[in-house]
Amino acid sequence: MPSTDLPAPPWRARKKPPAARQPLSAEAVLSTALRLVDRDGLDALSMRRVAQELGTGAASLYAYFANKDELLEQLLDRVIGDIPLPRADAPDWRAEVRKNCWESRAVFLSHRDLVRVARANIPVGPNSLRYTEAMLAVLRGAGVPDRIAAWAIDQMSLVIVADALEAALHVEQGRVTEADAAPYFEQVSDYLAHLPPDEFPNLVAMAPVMIEGSGDERFAFAIDLMVDGFARHAEAAR
């Protein structure tokens, strides 16, 4: 009987050993989905694509997530969990709120356009609830009235999400840095400067100012306005 244990011919390409399959779990699905979004953007995310990355079938993912919407909801909550919680015992509550807004923005900016998931949705996952509870503790502890504190959470979130989303859109259009965006903004300024001055006197006069300031400077301006407003309400309540 001929032997079957023969060496492979030297000209034949060696087969690579099969990659070890990652054990399937909700955490593995979330980690893979986040890696996919970070690499290819939110539009690339689907249950099928995540399953392919995991080396399994899409049907197996439904044991952990009912549908893509639920996956996105938990994915957003996971990212929110990366935001440090604000401290109610911080010596300067206004500085603490400002710092936390910057930290929130940085987390969203680090995940491409995942921030789109936060539009028109109120996050209620465990990390989101802990974050909201911690921020309310800071604001109420500073004497901000309950209604203002509730609205503050909402409006700060809108500013942070809108800023991060705009940054993601700029990146999609090739404007990754301030230098990349400069030619576009110069075109806008030039366009405004050449509008009919009798119809648009303010826009013409302010054309250079309308595009001044970096994204960071404008974000700081927006947060400062809001925090100073919360402080005035706290002082009025006292």
Side-chain angles (χ1 to χ4, degrees), residues 127-138:
N127 291 321
S128 305
L129 294 176
R130 292 186 193 101
Y131 175 84
T132 301
E133 176 67 22
M135 184 59 80
L136 286 174
V138 173

Side-chain angles (χ1 to χ4, degrees), residues 184-198:
Y184 167 71
F185 290 122
E186 288 169 3
Q187 286 180 328
V188 172
S189 178
D190 186 65
Y191 175 75
L192 296 177
H194 290 87
L195 289 171
D198 56 334

Side-chain angles (χ1 to χ4, degrees), residues 41-164:
L42 187 62
D43 290 337
L45 183 67
S46 68
M47 301 296 270
R48 182 180 61 81
R49 285 288 304 277
V50 174
Q52 287 176 342
E53 294 278 329
L54 287 165
T56 187
S60 61
L61 271 57
Y62 293 103
Y64 304 97
F65 303 94
N67 48 44
K68 180 182 173 181
D69 287 341
E70 184 179 324
L71 173 61
L72 288 173
E73 180 182 320
Q74 293 196 35
L75 193 59
L76 177 64
D77 191 68
R78 173 178 170 150
V79 167
I80 290 174
D82 292 337
I83 302 171
L85 295 178
R87 294 173 43 239
D89 61 349
D92 184 342
W93 72 269
R94 283 177 284 196
E96 182 71 4
V97 171
R98 289 188 180 95
K99 177 172 74 73
N100 192 261
C101 287
W102 282 94
E103 291 169 337
S104 300
R105 178 179 181 250
V107 166
F108 283 127
L109 288 176
S110 68
H111 294 292
R112 290 189 56 159
D113 53 353
L114 179 66
V115 71
R116 285 163 46 193
V117 180
R119 296 180 304 174
N121 288 304
I122 299 176
V124 291
N127 291 321
S128 305
L129 294 176
R130 292 186 193 101
Y131 175 84
T132 301
E133 176 67 22
M135 184 59 80
L136 286 174
V138 173
L139 295 172
R140 296 183 79 204
V144 177
D146 284 357
R147 187 185 191 191
I148 303 303
W151 287 7
I153 294 284
D154 176 53
Q155 294 304 302
M156 282 192 297
S157 297
L158 286 177
V159 169
I160 294 167
V161 166
D163 187 272

Side-chain angles (χ1 to χ4, degrees), residues 33-42 110-114:
L34 186 58
R35 185 170 63 250
L36 184 61
V37 171
D38 288 347
R39 187 185 69 210
D40 301 330
L42 187 62
S110 68
H111 294 292
R112 290 189 56 159
D113 53 353
L114 179 66

Side-chain angles (χ1 to χ4, degrees), residues 102 105 109 163 178 213-223:
W102 282 94
R105 178 179 181 250
L109 288 176
D163 187 272
E178 298 285 345
S214 66
D216 286 352
E217 289 172 326
R218 286 173 175 251
F219 182 76
F221 169 74
I223 297 303

